[in-house]
Amino acid sequence: MRVTTILLIIWCNVKIWTNKLFGNQFRLLPYKALVNLTNKCNSKCNFCDIWKEKDFDDEITPDHLLTMFDDMGRNLVWLALSGGEVTLVKYVAPLLVEAKKRCKNLKIISFTTNGLLPEKVVKLSEEIIAAGFDLIVTISLDGDKELHDELRGVPGNYDKCISLYNSLKAKSINVNYGITVNGANHSYILSEYRKMRHEIKAITFVHDGGIYKKSNNTDKNIILNSMRHIFKEYTIDSISEIIEYIHIKIAVHFIAAQEKKNLIPCEVITTSVHVMPDGEVQPCMYLKSLGNIKNKKFSEIIFNEKTDSIKREIKNNKCPHCWMNCYSPYSIMQHPFSSIKYLFKRCN
């Protein structure tokens, strides 16, 4: 990630701090948008049911997103793309070229992929870089060959992930593996994570509901032990990974506290929003819609009493409690001292 991009993110957070200091005397749109482009998915993960979706007629189009980008303008700095599977959407590259024209400060594009269409991932990555963006590609990898293919429900998925990673690395593209800690991969994490610690950089643990679209009755003690081991072995290879390192340690405390409250104040809406495939703008994947970009301006969705009310509820911890790296880095950056405190706090 370029130094100018890092400085721009710092500046975005300074503006938010200033906004809070003066009691919302002026208001800002979020600087990051996570857009689930589609529910289409060619994986068959056993901890997620999104691949069972059949109705895609109501999904957003490029025109809907470009209207949103027009409204966000210079406020949008980071655009994260997800699904479903991003490579099943045909319009991504031209959409981003148009987004750059409308959002002059848009610097970072990140997306997660299951790796099942490696040629498309490489092509899309090259197009994004050619358009002048900082790019972060995360390939989902949840175990060794046998375990990953079982968890993801597609034979041969593991081999494609490894091949894709090597192809992107050979082209000097910023790529890492992302693991979803889910209980079934506990033994893999204990025996293999240390060997993969320079490659597996994005760490999350399985949640219920949201885009998973199912309940996951996992043993939280197993999840906790897996996260503790990852934190112990995690290696910081770049400045940007410091945030992920803090995220993992807070995750350990969060799970140990039985996920009863947000340990760090959640800053969704202020820093980021989550746009669903049907156009609904949600603070996160768990909270109700604020409005739909198909029929309402983005700024009108963000600046109204309903949204202010939800912000107050979140501030008072009256929300489903989660700790996902879809949202946590932006809360960490808004509360750096409280977050760093957890690095030195012992966990029961």
Side-chain angles (χ1 to χ4, degrees):
M1 191 178 296
R2 286 169 286 195
V3 173
T4 52
T5 302
I6 294 172
L7 291 175
L8 182 56
I9 293 173
I10 292 172
W11 174 239
C12 289
N13 281 279
V14 169
K15 287 196 294 184
I16 295 171
W17 293 329
T18 305
N19 188 31
K20 292 176 181 177
L21 182 64
F22 288 96
N24 289 322
Q25 290 181 17
F26 62 92
R27 316 187 82 179
L28 301 171
L29 290 171
Y31 66 87
K32 189 242 184 173
L34 169 58
V35 181
N36 281 57
L37 293 170
T38 183
N39 281 324
K40 295 176 184 175
C41 190
N42 46 357
S43 288
K44 295 182 179 179
C45 303
N46 64 12
F47 52 82
C48 174
D49 280 350
I50 196 171
W51 58 273
K52 295 181 180 179
E53 292 288 314
K54 302 295 183 185
D55 185 10
F56 309 114
D57 292 339
D58 197 36
E59 292 191 339
I60 45 178
T61 68
D63 287 342
H64 296 133
L65 290 169
L66 290 176
T67 299
M68 182 182 83
F69 296 150
D70 279 333
D71 204 14
M72 295 189 79
R74 290 183 175 274
N75 294 282
L76 183 61
V77 173
W78 189 327
L79 179 61
L81 303 176
S82 187
E85 170 58 30
V86 171
T87 55
L88 297 178
V89 179
K90 296 179 180 180
Y91 60 75
V92 177
L95 173 76
L96 296 178
V97 171
E98 288 300 313
K100 191 176 182 66
K101 296 176 184 177
R102 292 161 164 80
C103 305
K104 301 301 183 182
N105 285 331
L106 179 56
K107 303 296 183 184
I108 308 171
I109 303 296
S110 57
F111 70 88
T112 302
T113 178
N114 56 27
L116 287 171
L117 297 171
E119 295 85 3
K120 287 191 175 183
V121 176
V122 172
K123 184 174 184 293
L124 176 60
S125 299
E126 290 176 330
E127 290 172 329
I128 292 172
I129 291 172
F133 293 109
D134 283 324
L135 173 65
I136 305 168
V137 181
T138 300
I139 304 170
S140 298
L141 189 76
D142 293 328
D144 57 20
K145 180 180 174 66
E146 181 180 359
L147 178 59
H148 180 78
D149 288 358
E150 178 186 348
L151 289 174
R152 294 282 167 169
V154 180
N157 194 169
Y158 177 87
D159 289 337
K160 287 187 175 182
C161 288
I162 301 299
S163 176
L164 172 60
Y165 181 90
N166 292 334
S167 295
L168 294 174
K169 274 292 183 182
K171 294 177 180 292
S172 299
I173 292 172
N174 185 4
V175 59
N176 62 78
Y177 291 120
I179 190 169
T180 301
V181 177
N182 58 66
N185 54 12
H186 178 63
S187 295
Y188 168 80
I189 289 168
L190 293 185
S191 64
E192 302 297 325
Y193 177 74
R194 179 174 173 79
K195 301 173 190 175
M196 296 287 289
R197 67 191 186 279
H198 295 291
E199 291 82 33
I200 301 177
K201 290 297 184 178
I203 314 295
T204 191
F205 58 94
V206 71
H207 287 63
D208 295 328
I211 61 171
Y212 290 105
K213 296 186 179 293
K214 71 179 295 183
S215 295
N216 289 294
N217 297 315
T218 52
D219 187 330
K220 293 299 183 182
N221 286 324
I222 293 177
I223 300 283
L224 177 60
N225 288 332
S226 292
M227 295 298 290
R228 280 175 167 156
H229 181 77
I230 290 172
F231 176 76
K232 178 182 176 183
E233 301 293 346
Y234 195 86
T235 302
I236 299 172
D237 295 317
S238 67
I239 293 175
S240 60
E241 290 168 8
I242 295 172
I243 300 292
E244 187 70 15
Y245 184 65
I246 297 171
H247 158 84
I248 297 166
K249 183 59 181 294
I250 296 175
V252 170
H253 285 282
F254 178 67
I255 299 167
Q258 301 180 349
E259 305 177 19
K260 290 182 178 179
K261 65 177 183 177
N262 296 325
L263 301 182
I264 302 297
C266 182
E267 293 289 349
V268 291
I269 305 177
T270 302
T271 60
S272 67
V273 291
H274 199 143
V275 182
M276 297 301 171
D278 60 0
E280 297 293 343
V281 178
Q282 298 178 203
C284 68
M285 68 173 71
Y286 299 106
L287 291 170
K288 292 181 179 180
S289 173
L290 306 172
N292 195 302
I293 60 171
K294 291 179 181 178
N295 52 41
K296 202 169 186 179
K297 287 186 66 176
F298 182 76
S299 56
E300 292 174 355
I301 292 172
I302 299 300
F303 300 142
N304 61 64
E305 179 52 38
K306 175 185 175 182
T307 300
D308 287 347
S309 176
I310 292 174
K311 279 185 180 180
R312 288 191 291 270
E313 289 181 8
I314 296 170
K315 184 176 180 180
N316 292 324
N317 244 308
K318 294 179 179 178
C319 67
H321 305 123
C322 71
W323 188 249
M324 302 185 71
N325 49 13
C326 301
Y327 320 112
S328 65
Y330 318 102
S331 296
I332 289 170
M333 286 186 281
Q334 273 297 292
H335 302 277
F337 300 114
S338 299
S339 299
I340 291 170
K341 178 187 70 175
Y342 279 99
L343 284 178
F344 304 98
K345 185 175 180 180
R346 291 191 62 182
C347 182
N348 296 328

